[in-house]
């Protein structure tokens, strides 16, 4: 019982930071993201009676510890649904470097969910796949959806999942990921979600997000890049304000992160369509439009502190790759 699936990571315009239930990954707020084409995870899951325990091979190297435990716990959810008790070997590879500021957990748990469901012969709806992926890693529920996705916060396990706002071909927004540091993050996002509500600014952020969600939806549907960019920057700064004011505080930025924010603002003054967003790390995602990609990428590559630029665009929903393909 074996299947392979591929899934894109995603970059959130309105971000998930803070959870109502950490065990179920129920978020404090809804979020909206773009699933990415060039930043993908491809995963093969093979269930067989010969395996005595689950095994995980990441980019060609067998790994154990927390990573294997999370994968195993996720496979348990799918095994329970299928009524199967076989162990599995999971082989997974990313098209982007680890620690590049691209969420491997989002594409990773989306690909794992789709591959394991296919291997077990489970016929699940998109909603069910999204709900399951969420249990693996919150933001993975949005990677089940192609293009622009909204995670409906919901109230419980059943109604917290992502839906499509617009398909990938609706709007070709580009995300140039500027890698400043490839170090793995010191504090995992789970710890950040746990302490977000300790920030005195958290209630204000939730009110801001309530207003931002319909505005971002509208900006996407109307292909209003200026509106989208302003909202993306405001949300990223708001999330990092929560991090800075949590107890204990979290500071993911490096001096080069701040320098790049200033550069993006300067380039915009000069007429380039570009806006930034930043996840739980120091790297900067620069959102731009196709006609400006070459210019923006050139400027990014000219900065001494930018180690790598990874160009991405809107990506499709995960798909199962036929064996032998
Ligand atoms: O899915 P998690 O628990 O890794 O959290 C994702 C957190 C951010 O990437 C910072 C924001 C988001 O919504 O993707």
């Amino acid at each position: 019982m074996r299947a392979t699936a591929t899934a894109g990571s995603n970059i959130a315009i309105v971000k998930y930071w803070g959870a109502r239930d950490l065990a179920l990954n129920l978020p404090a707020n809804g979020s909206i993201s773009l699933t990415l084409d060039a930043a993908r995870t491809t995963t093969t899951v093979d269930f067989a009676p010969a395996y005595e325990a689950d095994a995980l091979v990441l980019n060609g190297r067998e790994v154990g510890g927390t990573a294997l435990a999370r994968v195993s716990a996720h496979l348990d959810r799918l095994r329970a649904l299928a009524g199967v008790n076989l162990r599995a070997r999971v082989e997974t590879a990313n098209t982007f470097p680890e620690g590049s500021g691209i969420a491997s957990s989002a594409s990773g748990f989306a690909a794992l969910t789709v591959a394991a469901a296919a291997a077990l012969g489970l016929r699940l709806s998109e909603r069910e796949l999204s709900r399951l992926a969420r249990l693996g890693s919150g933001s993975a529920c949005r990677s089940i959806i192609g293009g622009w996705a909204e995670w409906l916060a919901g109230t419980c396990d059943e109604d917290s999942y992502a839906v499509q706002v617009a398909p990938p071909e609706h709007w070709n927004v580009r995300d140039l990921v500027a890698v400043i540091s490839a170090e793995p993050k010191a504090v995992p996002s789970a710890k950040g979600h746990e302490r977000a509500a300790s920030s005195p600014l958290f209630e204000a952020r939730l009110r801001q997000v309530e207003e931002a969600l319909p505005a971002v939806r509208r900006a996407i549907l109307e292909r209003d890049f200026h509106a989208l960019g302003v909202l993306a920057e405001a949300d990223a700064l708001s999330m990092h304000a929560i991090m800075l004011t949590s107890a204990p505080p979290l500071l993911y930025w490096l001096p080069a992160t701040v320098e790049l924010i200033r550069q993006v603002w300067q380039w915009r003054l000069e007429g380039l369509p570009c806006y930034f967003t930043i996840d739980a790390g120091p790297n900067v995602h620069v959102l731009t439009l196709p006609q400006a990609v070459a210019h923006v990428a050139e400027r990014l590559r000219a900065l001494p502190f930018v180690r790598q630029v990874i160009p991405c665009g809107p990506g499709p929903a995960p798909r199962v790759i036929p064996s032998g393909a």
Side-chain angles (χ1 to χ4, degrees), residues 151-273:
W151 177 1
L152 309 171
T155 55
C156 62
D157 185 29
E158 279 70 40
D159 64 3
S160 186
Y161 58 93
V163 296
Q164 189 172 69
V165 177
E169 59 279 9
H170 168 73
W171 193 19
N172 194 10
V173 168
R174 312 304 300 175
D175 174 15
L176 300 178
V177 188
V179 180
I180 285 168
S181 161
E183 293 284 307
K185 54 177 165 249
V187 181
S189 47
K191 287 260 170 268
H193 295 307
E194 202 176 295
R195 69 179 81 148
S198 68
S199 162
L201 308 182
F202 192 59
E203 291 301 319
R205 167 163 169 79
L206 294 182
R207 286 197 297 276
Q208 181 182 3
V209 166
E210 276 315 299
E211 284 181 19
L213 287 170
V216 168
R217 235 178 271 138
R218 198 176 324 118
I220 294 167
L221 294 175
E222 293 175 359
R223 300 187 189 88
D224 183 341
F225 187 62
H226 173 70
L228 185 89
V230 167
L231 288 157
E233 289 192 353
D235 188 77
L237 293 170
S238 149
M239 178 182 75
H240 284 271
I242 298 302
M243 294 163 168
L244 287 171
T245 50
S246 294
L250 264 170
L251 173 54
Y252 284 110
W253 294 358
L254 292 171
T257 312
V258 178
E259 185 51 36
L260 195 37
I261 291 174
R262 291 187 187 284
Q263 290 286 337
V264 167
W265 282 341
Q266 178 56 35
W267 298 341
R268 217 155 68 224
L269 281 180
E270 293 169 23
L272 276 180

Side-chain angles (χ1 to χ4, degrees), residues 98-163:
E98 299 294 306
S100 60
I102 297 177
S104 60
S105 64
S107 51
F109 278 97
L112 180 67
T113 305
V114 173
L120 292 167
L122 288 167
R123 294 177 67 85
L124 301 174
S125 64
E126 183 184 79
R127 170 175 170 169
E128 192 59 9
L129 288 168
S130 177
R131 187 190 72 83
L132 278 164
R134 187 203 83 230
L135 291 166
S137 176
S139 56
C141 74
R142 298 187 309 241
S143 274
I144 292 293
I145 310 299
W148 302 89
E150 176 164 3
W151 177 1
L152 309 171
T155 55
C156 62
D157 185 29
E158 279 70 40
D159 64 3
S160 186
Y161 58 93
V163 296

Side-chain angles (χ1 to χ4, degrees), residues 176-178 260 264 267 286 295-304 306 309:
L176 300 178
V177 188
L260 195 37
V264 167
W267 298 341
V286 181
H295 264 98
V296 176
E298 191 187 335
R299 290 199 178 196
L300 286 171
R301 291 196 176 102
L303 297 170
V306 171
V309 177

Side-chain angles (χ1 to χ4, degrees), residues 10-12 14-17 25 31-33 70 103 105-106 137-140 142 151 185 189-190 193 239 243 278-280:
N10 68 73
I11 181 66
V14 177
K15 303 195 187 276
Y16 156 45
W17 199 250
N25 290 339
S31 52
I32 297 181
S33 62
R70 277 181 82 185
S105 64
S137 176
S139 56
R142 298 187 309 241
W151 177 1
K185 54 177 165 249
S189 47
H193 295 307
M239 178 182 75
M243 294 163 168
I278 306 166
D279 275 348

